[in-house]
Amino acid sequence: MDNSHSLKRVVVTGYGAITPLGGNAHQSWDAIMAYQTGYRYMDRRAGGIKSRFFGLIDDELYLKFLPAGIRRRLPRFAHLALIAAREAMEMAFGNTSPAQYHAELDRGAIIGTGWGGLDETVCNHDKYRSSGLGSTFGCFYSMPSIATAACSQLWALRGYQNTPAAACATGTIAIGDAFDAIRHGRATMMLAGGAESLRTDTAVWNIDVLSALTREEQDITKASCPFSLERNGFVLSEGAAVLCLEDREIALARGATLLGEITGYGNFSDAVDFTVPAGDKLARVKTIRTALSQAGLSAGEIDYINAHGTSTQLNDRNETESIKLALGEKAYSVPVSSTKGYSGHLIAAAGSFESIICLQALHHQIMPATHHLKQPDPACDLDFISEGHRPASLKHTLNLSFGFGGANAALVISKGAL
């Protein structure tokens, strides 16, 4: 039975981010437009770490808006999530409260993370082992849903909640699931996004030992160069990015500024390997096609793709082939870029930050270039916008995210008839 007529339209009314590129979403976008790089050289060989480039947030975090009872219980990834969420809420509602427009049980939150408070958990474990006493907040440090819970408390979001943990696809899945919740009437307003902060040697070594991180030791332009012949792994970064989604009718009725519309979502699993993408590319292709189908778009109607583009040998080639299989001949005429050459890889926040980039691309009508792409891999032969940022007439963008464990997610983010 076709019930598509009863599905709600879902719009974006706010977004926020804190990344190594900037303290908020606009600073991060401006840094990309200025071709800045958010990561730097760090020698961590004392910790047995071979990678040399990392994206860290150096400024002291502004957390005075958080009640002490919440602030003291949160690990760093959750602090970052709350900073991004606050920016999103202020953009969406200004000085008003969402309670004026959305019923108490219709306001929800989905804030995902890949490894949660691993840093704090490791440090607390060391403290406990040495003294027999750890932090009384240790339980919360290792609780992946703590950022979702904190957002719920701070803004009285008592509706649908969840905490996806899908490695590098987490942020996109959080937004997609929030979109589904509003679309099907389970909520009218959702905060959705992801956050990650992995700074200790233990946490970094865990990823470095898999040979996933960049092996470039000197040249920063080769540390993260998606789709380049010289790529050799990704740059690990920390950060958070959160969107505020609303039922379009309610957002219009309250006079909100509509920043974009989520029109399609796909999510399928490789189920093949923990780190290697599936060679048959079936799940990635299905993920892309499902998002397009839900948005009611043909392959030729996508104006820009923000690729996952990690700068690893395996992902970039597999992703290129997946786009070709999903879009057919149209793949060669759709501009694609990865923005991880600027930001590094924000892991759980990557997909939600790149969703914000899609929204800003729609607003400014410009497609960000793939940074550091000087010598393309012949196997990565799509239009990867290597010459510099490109002005364009944009209506529909596609955001792709693929994660360890075989997670694949895609969002169609549209300008639409707002």
Side-chain angles (χ1 to χ4, degrees), residues 24-113:
N24 59 46
H26 293 296
Q27 287 176 9
S28 298
W29 170 260
D30 288 346
I32 290 172
M33 288 295 101
Y35 300 98
Q36 293 174 10
T37 300
Y39 44 89
R40 65 177 185 272
Y41 180 89
M42 291 179 68
D43 189 335
R44 305 183 67 166
R45 72 186 76 192
I49 294 164
K50 295 178 181 178
S51 196
R52 295 287 178 265
F53 292 91
F54 298 91
L56 302 178
I57 296 164
D58 296 320
D59 293 341
E60 185 177 350
L61 303 183
Y62 178 79
L63 299 168
K64 290 182 180 177
F65 67 95
L66 286 174
I70 293 178
R71 184 178 67 246
R72 290 162 55 224
R73 286 168 169 80
L74 301 183
R76 182 175 173 87
F77 94 90
H79 283 152
L80 297 177
L82 269 290
I83 289 169
R86 179 177 181 242
E87 183 187 351
M89 290 296 276
E90 287 183 350
M91 189 182 296
F93 296 102
N95 295 322
T96 66
S97 165
Q100 292 181 229
Y101 315 103
H102 299 276
E104 195 171 36
L105 298 175
D106 288 340
R107 310 188 295 265
I110 304 179
I111 310 295
T113 183

Coordinates of all heavy atoms in Angstrom, one line a residue, residues 24-113:
N24 N 33.5 27.0 14.8 CA 32.0 26.8 14.5 C 31.9 26.5 13.0 O 32.9 26.4 12.3 CB 31.2 28.1 14.8 CG 31.8 29.3 14.1 OD1 32.0 29.3 12.9 ND2 31.9 30.4 14.8
A25 N 30.7 26.2 12.5 CA 30.5 25.8 11.2 C 31.0 26.8 10.1 O 31.6 26.4 9.1 CB 29.0 25.4 11.0
H26 N 30.7 28.0 10.4 CA 31.1 29.0 9.4 C 32.6 29.2 9.3 O 33.1 29.4 8.2 CB 30.4 30.4 9.7 CG 28.9 30.3 9.5 ND1 28.3 30.0 8.3 CD2 27.8 30.4 10.4 CE1 27.0 30.0 8.4 NE2 26.7 30.2 9.7
Q27 N 33.3 29.2 10.4 CA 34.7 29.3 10.4 C 35.3 28.1 9.7 O 36.3 28.2 8.9 CB 35.3 29.3 11.8 CG 35.0 30.7 12.6 CD 35.5 30.6 14.0 OE1 36.2 29.7 14.4 NE2 35.2 31.6 14.8
S28 N 34.7 26.9 9.9 CA 35.2 25.7 9.2 C 35.1 25.8 7.7 O 35.9 25.5 6.9 CB 34.5 24.5 9.7 OG 34.8 24.3 11.1
W29 N 33.9 26.3 7.2 CA 33.6 26.5 5.8 C 34.6 27.6 5.2 O 35.2 27.4 4.2 CB 32.2 27.0 5.6 CG 31.9 27.4 4.2 CD1 31.8 28.7 3.8 CD2 31.6 26.6 3.1 NE1 31.5 28.7 2.4 CE2 31.4 27.5 2.0 CE3 31.6 25.2 2.8 CZ2 31.1 27.0 0.7 CZ3 31.3 24.7 1.5 CH2 31.1 25.6 0.5
D30 N 34.8 28.7 6.0 CA 35.7 29.7 5.5 C 37.1 29.2 5.3 O 37.8 29.6 4.4 CB 35.7 30.9 6.4 CG 34.4 31.7 6.4 OD1 33.6 31.5 5.4 OD2 34.1 32.5 7.3
A31 N 37.5 28.3 6.2 CA 38.8 27.8 6.1 C 39.0 26.9 4.9 O 40.0 26.9 4.2 CB 39.2 26.9 7.4
I32 N 37.9 26.1 4.6 CA 37.9 25.3 3.3 C 38.0 26.2 2.1 O 38.8 26.0 1.2 CB 36.7 24.4 3.3 CG1 36.8 23.3 4.3 CG2 36.5 23.8 1.9 CD1 35.5 22.5 4.5
M33 N 37.2 27.3 2.1 CA 37.2 28.2 1.0 C 38.6 28.9 0.8 O 39.0 29.3 -0.3 CB 36.1 29.3 1.2 CG 34.7 28.7 1.0 SD 34.3 28.2 -0.7 CE 34.5 26.4 -0.5
A34 N 39.3 29.0 1.9 CA 40.7 29.6 1.9 C 41.8 28.6 1.7 O 43.0 28.9 1.8 CB 40.9 30.4 3.2
Y35 N 41.4 27.3 1.4 CA 42.3 26.2 1.1 C 43.2 25.9 2.3 O 44.4 25.6 2.2 CB 43.1 26.5 -0.1 CG 42.3 26.6 -1.4 CD1 42.0 27.9 -1.9 CD2 41.8 25.5 -2.1 CE1 41.2 28.0 -3.0 CE2 41.0 25.6 -3.2 CZ 40.7 26.9 -3.7 OH 39.9 27.1 -4.8
Q36 N 42.7 26.1 3.5 CA 43.5 25.9 4.7 C 43.4 24.4 5.1 O 42.4 23.7 4.8 CB 43.0 26.7 5.9 CG 43.2 28.2 5.7 CD 42.6 29.1 6.7 OE1 42.2 28.6 7.8 NE2 42.6 30.4 6.5
T37 N 44.4 23.9 5.9 CA 44.4 22.6 6.3 C 44.3 22.5 7.8 O 45.0 23.3 8.5 CB 45.8 21.9 5.9 OG1 45.8 22.0 4.5 CG2 45.9 20.5 6.4
G38 N 43.5 21.7 8.4 CA 43.2 21.7 9.8 C 44.1 20.7 10.6 O 43.9 20.5 11.8
Y39 N 45.1 20.1 10.0 CA 45.9 19.1 10.7 C 47.4 19.6 10.6 O 47.7 20.4 9.8 CB 45.7 17.7 10.2 CG 45.7 17.6 8.7 CD1 46.8 17.4 7.9 CD2 44.4 17.7 8.0 CE1 46.8 17.4 6.6 CE2 44.4 17.6 6.6 CZ 45.5 17.5 5.9 OH 45.5 17.4 4.5
R40 N 48.2 19.0 11.4 CA 49.6 19.4 11.5 C 50.5 18.2 11.8 O 50.1 17.2 12.2 CB 49.8 20.5 12.5 CG 49.6 20.1 13.9 CD 49.8 21.2 14.9 NE 49.7 20.8 16.3 CZ 48.6 20.8 17.0 NH1 47.5 21.2 16.4 NH2 48.6 20.4 18.3
Y41 N 51.8 18.4 11.6 CA 52.8 17.4 11.9 C 52.9 17.2 13.4 O 53.0 18.2 14.2 CB 54.2 17.9 11.4 CG 55.3 16.9 11.6 CD1 55.5 15.8 10.7 CD2 56.1 17.0 12.7 CE1 56.5 14.9 10.9 CE2 57.1 16.1 13.0 CZ 57.3 15.0 12.1 OH 58.3 14.1 12.3
M42 N 53.0 16.0 13.9 CA 53.2 15.6 15.3 C 54.0 14.3 15.3 O 53.6 13.3 14.7 CB 51.9 15.4 16.0 CG 51.0 16.6 16.3 SD 49.5 16.2 17.1 CE 50.2 15.7 18.7
D43 N 55.1 14.3 16.0 CA 56.0 13.1 16.1 C 55.5 12.4 17.4 O 55.7 12.8 18.5 CB 57.4 13.5 16.2 CG 58.4 12.3 16.1 OD1 57.9 11.2 16.5 OD2 59.5 12.5 15.7
R44 N 54.9 11.2 17.1 CA 54.4 10.4 18.3 C 55.1 9.1 18.3 O 54.5 8.1 18.8 CB 52.9 10.3 18.2 CG 52.2 11.7 18.1 CD 50.7 11.6 18.1 NE 50.1 11.1 19.3 CZ 48.9 11.2 19.7 NH1 48.0 11.8 18.9 NH2 48.4 10.7 20.8
R45 N 56.3 9.0 17.8 CA 56.9 7.7 17.8 C 57.2 7.1 19.2 O 57.4 5.9 19.3 CB 58.2 7.7 16.9 CG 59.4 8.5 17.5 CD 60.5 8.6 16.5 NE 60.2 9.6 15.5 CZ 60.9 9.8 14.4 NH1 61.9 9.0 14.1 NH2 60.5 10.7 13.5
A46 N 57.3 8.0 20.2 CA 57.5 7.5 21.6 C 56.4 6.6 22.0 O 56.5 5.8 22.9 CB 57.6 8.7 22.5
G47 N 55.2 6.8 21.4 CA 54.0 6.0 21.7 C 53.9 4.8 20.7 O 52.9 4.1 20.7
G48 N 54.9 4.6 19.9 CA 54.9 3.5 18.9 C 54.0 3.8 17.7 O 53.5 2.9 17.0
I49 N 53.7 5.1 17.5 CA 52.8 5.5 16.4 C 53.5 6.0 15.2 O 54.4 6.8 15.3 CB 51.8 6.6 17.0 CG1 50.9 6.1 18.1 CG2 51.0 7.2 15.8 CD1 50.3 7.2 18.9
K50 N 53.2 5.4 14.1 CA 54.0 5.7 12.8 C 53.4 6.9 12.1 O 54.2 7.6 11.4 CB 53.9 4.5 11.9 CG 54.7 3.3 12.5 CD 54.6 2.1 11.5 CE 55.3 0.9 12.1 NZ 55.1 -0.3 11.2
S51 N 52.1 7.2 12.3 CA 51.5 8.3 11.6 C 52.1 9.6 12.2 O 52.4 9.7 13.3 CB 50.0 8.3 11.7 OG 49.4 9.1 10.8
R52 N 52.1 10.7 11.3 CA 52.8 11.9 11.7 C 51.9 13.1 11.6 O 52.3 14.3 12.0 CB 54.0 12.2 10.8 CG 55.2 11.1 11.0 CD 55.8 11.3 12.4 NE 56.9 10.3 12.6 CZ 56.7 9.2 13.2 NH1 55.5 8.9 13.8 NH2 57.7 8.3 13.3
F53 N 50.7 13.0 11.1 CA 49.8 14.2 11.0 C 48.4 13.9 11.7 O 47.8 12.9 11.5 CB 49.6 14.5 9.5 CG 50.8 15.0 8.8 CD1 51.7 14.1 8.2 CD2 51.1 16.3 8.8 CE1 52.8 14.5 7.5 CE2 52.3 16.8 8.1 CZ 53.1 15.9 7.5
F54 N 48.0 14.9 12.4 CA 46.8 14.8 13.2 C 46.0 16.1 13.3 O 46.6 17.2 13.3 CB 47.1 14.3 14.6 CG 47.7 13.0 14.7 CD1 49.1 12.9 14.7 CD2 47.0 11.9 14.7 CE1 49.7 11.6 14.7 CE2 47.6 10.6 14.7 CZ 48.9 10.5 14.7
G55 N 44.7 16.0 13.3 CA 43.9 17.2 13.3 C 43.3 17.4 14.7 O 42.4 16.7 15.1
L56 N 43.8 18.4 15.5 CA 43.4 18.6 16.9 C 42.8 20.0 17.1 O 43.1 20.9 16.3 CB 44.6 18.4 17.8 CG 45.3 17.1 17.8 CD1 46.5 17.1 18.8 CD2 44.3 15.9 18.1
I57 N 41.9 20.1 18.0 CA 41.3 21.4 18.4 C 42.1 21.9 19.5 O 42.0 21.4 20.6 CB 39.8 21.2 18.7 CG1 39.0 20.7 17.5 CG2 39.2 22.5 19.2 CD1 37.6 20.1 17.8
D58 N 42.8 23.0 19.3 CA 43.8 23.5 20.3 C 43.2 24.5 21.3 O 43.6 24.6 22.4 CB 45.0 24.1 19.6 CG 45.8 23.1 18.8 OD1 46.0 22.0 19.3 OD2 46.2 23.5 17.6
D59 N 42.2 25.2 20.8 CA 41.6 26.2 21.7 C 40.9 25.6 22.9 O 40.3 24.5 22.8 CB 40.6 27.1 20.9 CG 41.3 27.9 19.8 OD1 42.5 28.1 19.9 OD2 40.6 28.4 18.9
E60 N 40.9 26.3 24.0 CA 40.1 25.8 25.1 C 38.7 25.8 24.8 O 38.1 26.8 24.2 CB 40.4 26.8 26.3 CG 39.8 26.3 27.6 CD 40.1 27.2 28.8 OE1 41.0 28.0 28.7 OE2 39.5 27.0 29.9
L61 N 38.0 24.8 25.2 CA 36.6 24.7 24.9 C 35.7 25.6 25.8 O 35.9 25.6 27.0 CB 36.1 23.2 25.0 CG 36.9 22.1 24.2 CD1 36.2 20.8 24.5 CD2 36.9 22.5 22.7
Y62 N 34.8 26.3 25.1 CA 33.9 27.1 25.9 C 32.7 26.3 26.3 O 31.9 25.8 25.5 CB 33.4 28.3 25.1 CG 32.4 29.2 25.8 CD1 32.8 30.1 26.8 CD2 31.0 29.0 25.6 CE1 31.9 30.9 27.5 CE2 30.1 29.8 26.3 CZ 30.5 30.7 27.3 OH 29.6 31.4 28.0
L63 N 32.6 26.0 27.7 CA 31.6 25.1 28.2 C 30.7 25.7 29.3 O 30.0 25.1 30.0 CB 32.3 23.9 28.7 CG 33.1 23.0 27.7 CD1 34.0 22.0 28.4 CD2 32.2 22.4 26.7
K64 N 30.8 27.1 29.4 CA 30.1 27.7 30.5 C 28.6 27.7 30.4 O 27.9 27.9 31.3 CB 30.6 29.2 30.6 CG 32.0 29.3 31.2 CD 32.4 30.8 31.3 CE 33.9 30.8 31.8 NZ 34.3 32.3 32.0
F65 N 28.1 27.4 29.2 CA 26.7 27.3 29.0 C 26.1 26.0 29.6 O 24.9 25.8 29.7 CB 26.3 27.3 27.5 CG 26.8 26.2 26.7 CD1 26.0 25.1 26.4 CD2 28.1 26.2 26.1 CE1 26.5 24.0 25.6 CE2 28.6 25.1 25.4 CZ 27.8 24.0 25.1
L66 N 27.0 25.0 29.9 CA 26.6 23.8 30.5 C 26.5 23.8 32.0 O 27.5 24.2 32.6 CB 27.6 22.6 30.1 CG 27.5 22.2 28.6 CD1 28.7 21.2 28.4 CD2 26.2 21.5 28.3
P67 N 25.4 23.4 32.6 CA 25.4 23.2 34.0 C 26.5 22.3 34.5 O 26.8 21.3 33.9 CB 24.0 22.6 34.3 CG 23.2 22.9 33.1 CD 24.2 22.9 31.9
A68 N 27.1 22.6 35.7 CA 28.2 21.9 36.2 C 27.9 20.4 36.3 O 28.8 19.5 36.1 CB 28.7 22.5 37.5
G69 N 26.7 20.1 36.7 CA 26.3 18.7 36.9 C 26.3 17.9 35.6 O 26.5 16.7 35.7
I70 N 26.2 18.6 34.5 CA 26.3 17.9 33.2 C 27.8 17.9 32.7 O 28.3 16.9 32.4 CB 25.4 18.5 32.1 CG1 23.9 18.3 32.5 CG2 25.7 18.0 30.7 CD1 22.9 18.9 31.5
R71 N 28.3 19.1 32.8 CA 29.7 19.3 32.2 C 30.7 18.4 32.8 O 31.5 17.8 32.1 CB 30.1 20.8 32.5 CG 31.4 21.2 31.9 CD 31.8 22.6 32.2 NE 32.0 22.9 33.6 CZ 31.3 23.6 34.3 NH1 30.2 24.2 33.8 NH2 31.6 23.8 35.6
R72 N 30.7 18.2 34.1 CA 31.7 17.4 34.8 C 31.6 15.9 34.5 O 32.6 15.2 34.7 CB 31.7 17.6 36.3 CG 32.1 19.0 36.7 CD 31.6 19.4 38.1 NE 32.1 18.4 39.1 CZ 31.3 17.9 40.1 NH1 30.0 18.4 40.2 NH2 31.7 17.1 41.0
R73 N 30.5 15.5 34.0 CA 30.3 14.1 33.8 C 30.6 13.7 32.3 O 30.6 12.5 32.0 CB 28.9 13.7 34.1 CG 28.6 13.6 35.6 CD 27.1 13.5 35.9 NE 26.8 13.2 37.3 CZ 26.8 14.1 38.3 NH1 27.1 15.3 38.0 NH2 26.6 13.7 39.5
L74 N 30.9 14.6 31.5 CA 31.1 14.4 30.1 C 32.5 14.2 29.6 O 33.4 14.9 30.0 CB 30.5 15.5 29.2 CG 29.0 15.9 29.4 CD1 28.6 17.0 28.5 CD2 28.1 14.6 29.3
P75 N 32.8 13.1 28.8 CA 34.1 13.0 28.2 C 34.2 14.1 27.1 O 33.2 14.7 26.7 CB 34.1 11.6 27.6 CG 32.6 11.3 27.4 CD 31.9 12.0 28.5
R76 N 35.4 14.2 26.5 CA 35.7 15.3 25.6 C 34.8 15.2 24.3 O 34.3 16.2 23.8 CB 37.1 15.3 25.2 CG 37.5 16.4 24.2 CD 39.0 16.5 23.9 NE 39.4 17.4 22.9 CZ 39.7 18.7 23.1 NH1 39.6 19.2 24.3 NH2 40.0 19.5 22.1
F77 N 34.6 14.0 23.8 CA 33.8 13.9 22.6 C 32.4 14.5 22.8 O 31.8 15.1 21.9 CB 33.7 12.4 22.1 CG 32.5 11.7 22.6 CD1 31.3 11.7 21.9 CD2 32.5 11.0 23.8 CE1 30.2 11.0 22.3 CE2 31.4 10.3 24.2 CZ 30.2 10.3 23.5
A78 N 31.8 14.3 24.0 CA 30.5 14.8 24.3 C 30.5 16.3 24.5 O 29.6 17.0 24.1 CB 30.0 14.1 25.6
H79 N 31.6 16.9 25.1 CA 31.7 18.3 25.1 C 31.7 18.9 23.7 O 31.0 19.9 23.5 CB 33.1 18.7 25.8 CG 33.1 18.5 27.3 ND1 34.2 18.3 28.0 CD2 32.1 18.6 28.2 CE1 33.9 18.2 29.3 NE2 32.6 18.4 29.5
L80 N 32.4 18.3 22.8 CA 32.4 18.8 21.4 C 31.0 18.7 20.8 O 30.5 19.6 20.2 CB 33.4 18.0 20.6 CG 34.9 18.1 21.0 CD1 35.7 17.1 20.1 CD2 35.4 19.5 20.9
A81 N 30.3 17.6 21.1 CA 29.0 17.4 20.6 C 28.0 18.5 21.1 O 27.2 19.1 20.3 CB 28.4 16.0 21.0
L82 N 28.1 18.8 22.4 CA 27.3 19.9 23.0 C 27.6 21.2 22.4 O 26.7 22.1 22.2 CB 27.4 19.9 24.5 CG 26.5 19.0 25.3 CD1 25.1 19.5 25.3 CD2 26.5 17.5 24.9
I83 N 28.8 21.5 22.1 CA 29.2 22.8 21.5 C 28.6 22.9 20.1 O 28.0 24.0 19.8 CB 30.7 23.0 21.5 CG1 31.3 23.2 22.9 CG2 31.1 24.1 20.5 CD1 32.8 23.1 22.9
A84 N 28.7 21.9 19.3 CA 28.1 21.9 18.0 C 26.5 21.9 18.1 O 25.9 22.7 17.3 CB 28.5 20.6 17.2
A85 N 26.0 21.2 19.0 CA 24.5 21.2 19.2 C 24.0 22.6 19.6 O 22.9 23.0 19.1 CB 24.1 20.1 20.2
R86 N 24.7 23.3 20.5 CA 24.3 24.6 20.9 C 24.3 25.6 19.7 O 23.3 26.3 19.6 CB 25.3 25.1 22.0 CG 24.9 26.5 22.5 CD 25.9 26.9 23.6 NE 25.7 28.2 24.1 CZ 26.5 29.2 24.1 NH1 27.7 29.0 23.4 NH2 26.3 30.4 24.6
E87 N 25.3 25.5 18.8 CA 25.3 26.3 17.6 C 24.1 26.0 16.8 O 23.4 26.9 16.2 CB 26.6 26.1 16.9 CG 26.7 27.0 15.6 CD 27.9 26.7 14.8 OE1 28.8 25.9 15.2 OE2 28.0 27.3 13.7
A88 N 23.8 24.7 16.6 CA 22.7 24.3 15.8 C 21.3 24.8 16.3 O 20.5 25.3 15.6 CB 22.6 22.8 15.6
M89 N 21.2 24.7 17.6 CA 19.9 25.1 18.3 C 19.8 26.7 18.2 O 18.7 27.2 18.0 CB 19.9 24.7 19.7 CG 19.8 23.2 19.9 SD 18.2 22.5 19.2 CE 17.1 22.8 20.7
E90 N 20.9 27.4 18.4 CA 20.8 28.9 18.3 C 20.5 29.3 16.9 O 19.7 30.3 16.7 CB 22.1 29.5 18.8 CG 22.3 29.4 20.3 CD 23.5 30.1 20.8 OE1 24.4 30.5 20.0 OE2 23.6 30.2 22.0
M91 N 21.0 28.6 15.9 CA 20.7 28.9 14.5 C 19.3 28.6 14.2 O 18.6 29.4 13.5 CB 21.6 28.1 13.6 CG 21.5 28.6 12.1 SD 22.6 27.6 11.0 CE 24.2 28.0 11.6
A92 N 18.7 27.6 14.8 CA 17.4 27.1 14.5 C 16.3 28.0 15.2 O 15.3 28.4 14.6 CB 17.2 25.7 14.8
F93 N 16.6 28.3 16.5 CA 15.6 28.9 17.3 C 15.9 30.2 17.9 O 15.1 30.8 18.6 CB 15.2 27.9 18.5 CG 14.6 26.6 18.0 CD1 15.4 25.4 18.0 CD2 13.3 26.5 17.6 CE1 14.9 24.2 17.5 CE2 12.7 25.3 17.1 CZ 13.5 24.2 17.1
G94 N 17.1 30.7 17.7 CA 17.5 32.0 18.2 C 17.4 32.0 19.7 O 17.9 31.1 20.4
N95 N 16.7 33.0 20.2 CA 16.5 33.2 21.7 C 15.2 32.5 22.2 O 14.9 32.6 23.3 CB 16.4 34.7 22.0 CG 17.8 35.4 21.8 OD1 18.8 34.8 22.0 ND2 17.7 36.6 21.3
T96 N 14.5 31.8 21.3 CA 13.3 31.2 21.7 C 13.6 29.7 22.0 O 14.7 29.2 21.9 CB 12.2 31.2 20.6 OG1 12.7 30.4 19.4 CG2 11.9 32.6 20.1
S97 N 12.6 29.0 22.5 CA 12.8 27.6 22.9 C 12.0 26.7 21.9 O 10.9 27.0 21.5 CB 12.2 27.4 24.3 OG 12.1 26.0 24.6
P98 N 12.6 25.5 21.6 CA 11.8 24.6 20.8 C 10.5 24.2 21.4 O 9.6 23.7 20.7 CB 12.8 23.4 20.6 CG 13.8 23.5 21.7 CD 13.9 25.0 22.0
A99 N 10.4 24.3 22.7 CA 9.2 24.0 23.4 C 8.0 24.8 23.0 O 6.8 24.4 23.1 CB 9.4 24.1 24.9
Q100 N 8.3 26.0 22.4 CA 7.2 26.9 21.9 C 6.5 26.3 20.6 O 5.4 26.7 20.3 CB 7.7 28.3 21.6 CG 8.1 29.0 22.8 CD 8.6 30.4 22.5 OE1 9.7 30.9 22.9 NE2 7.9 31.1 21.7
Y101 N 7.2 25.4 20.0 CA 6.7 24.9 18.7 C 6.6 23.4 18.5 O 5.8 23.0 17.7 CB 7.7 25.4 17.6 CG 8.1 26.8 17.7 CD1 9.4 27.2 18.2 CD2 7.3 27.9 17.4 CE1 9.8 28.5 18.4 CE2 7.7 29.2 17.5 CZ 8.9 29.5 18.0 OH 9.3 30.8 18.2
H102 N 7.3 22.7 19.4 CA 7.2 21.2 19.3 C 6.9 20.6 20.6 O 7.4 21.0 21.7 CB 8.6 20.7 18.9 CG 9.1 21.2 17.5 ND1 8.7 20.6 16.4 CD2 9.9 22.3 17.2 CE1 9.3 21.2 15.4 NE2 10.0 22.3 15.8
A103 N 5.9 19.7 20.6 CA 5.5 19.0 21.8 C 6.6 18.3 22.5 O 7.6 17.9 21.9 CB 4.4 18.0 21.5
E104 N 6.5 18.2 23.8 CA 7.6 17.7 24.7 C 8.1 16.3 24.2 O 9.3 16.1 24.1 CB 7.1 17.5 26.1 CG 8.2 17.3 27.1 CD 7.6 17.5 28.5 OE1 6.4 17.0 28.8 OE2 8.3 18.0 29.4
L105 N 7.2 15.4 23.8 CA 7.6 14.1 23.4 C 7.8 14.0 21.9 O 8.0 12.9 21.4 CB 6.6 13.1 23.9 CG 6.4 13.0 25.4 CD1 5.3 12.1 25.8 CD2 7.7 12.6 26.1
D106 N 7.8 15.1 21.2 CA 8.0 15.1 19.7 C 9.4 15.7 19.4 O 9.8 15.8 18.3 CB 7.0 16.0 19.0 CG 5.6 15.3 19.0 OD1 5.6 14.0 19.1 OD2 4.6 16.0 18.8
R107 N 10.2 16.0 20.5 CA 11.5 16.6 20.3 C 12.6 15.5 20.7 O 12.5 15.0 21.8 CB 11.8 17.8 21.2 CG 10.7 18.9 21.1 CD 11.1 20.1 21.8 NE 11.2 20.0 23.2 CZ 10.2 20.2 24.1 NH1 9.0 20.7 23.7 NH2 10.5 20.1 25.4
G108 N 13.5 15.1 19.8 CA 14.4 14.0 20.1 C 15.8 14.4 19.7 O 16.2 15.5 19.3
A109 N 16.7 13.4 20.0 CA 18.1 13.5 19.7 C 18.8 12.2 19.3 O 18.5 11.2 19.9 CB 18.8 14.1 21.0
I110 N 19.6 12.3 18.3 CA 20.5 11.2 17.9 C 21.9 11.7 17.7 O 22.2 12.3 16.7 CB 19.9 10.5 16.6 CG1 18.5 10.1 16.7 CG2 20.8 9.3 16.2 CD1 17.9 9.5 15.5
I111 N 22.7 11.4 18.7 CA 24.1 11.9 18.6 C 25.0 10.6 18.6 O 25.1 10.0 19.7 CB 24.5 12.9 19.7 CG1 23.5 14.0 19.8 CG2 25.9 13.4 19.5 CD1 23.4 14.9 18.6
G112 N 25.7 10.3 17.5 CA 26.5 9.1 17.5 C 27.9 9.3 17.7 O 28.4 10.5 17.7
T113 N 28.6 8.2 17.9 CA 30.1 8.3 18.1 C 30.7 6.9 17.7 O 30.0 5.9 17.8 CB 30.5 8.6 19.6 OG1 31.9 8.7 19.7 CG2 29.9 7.6 20.6

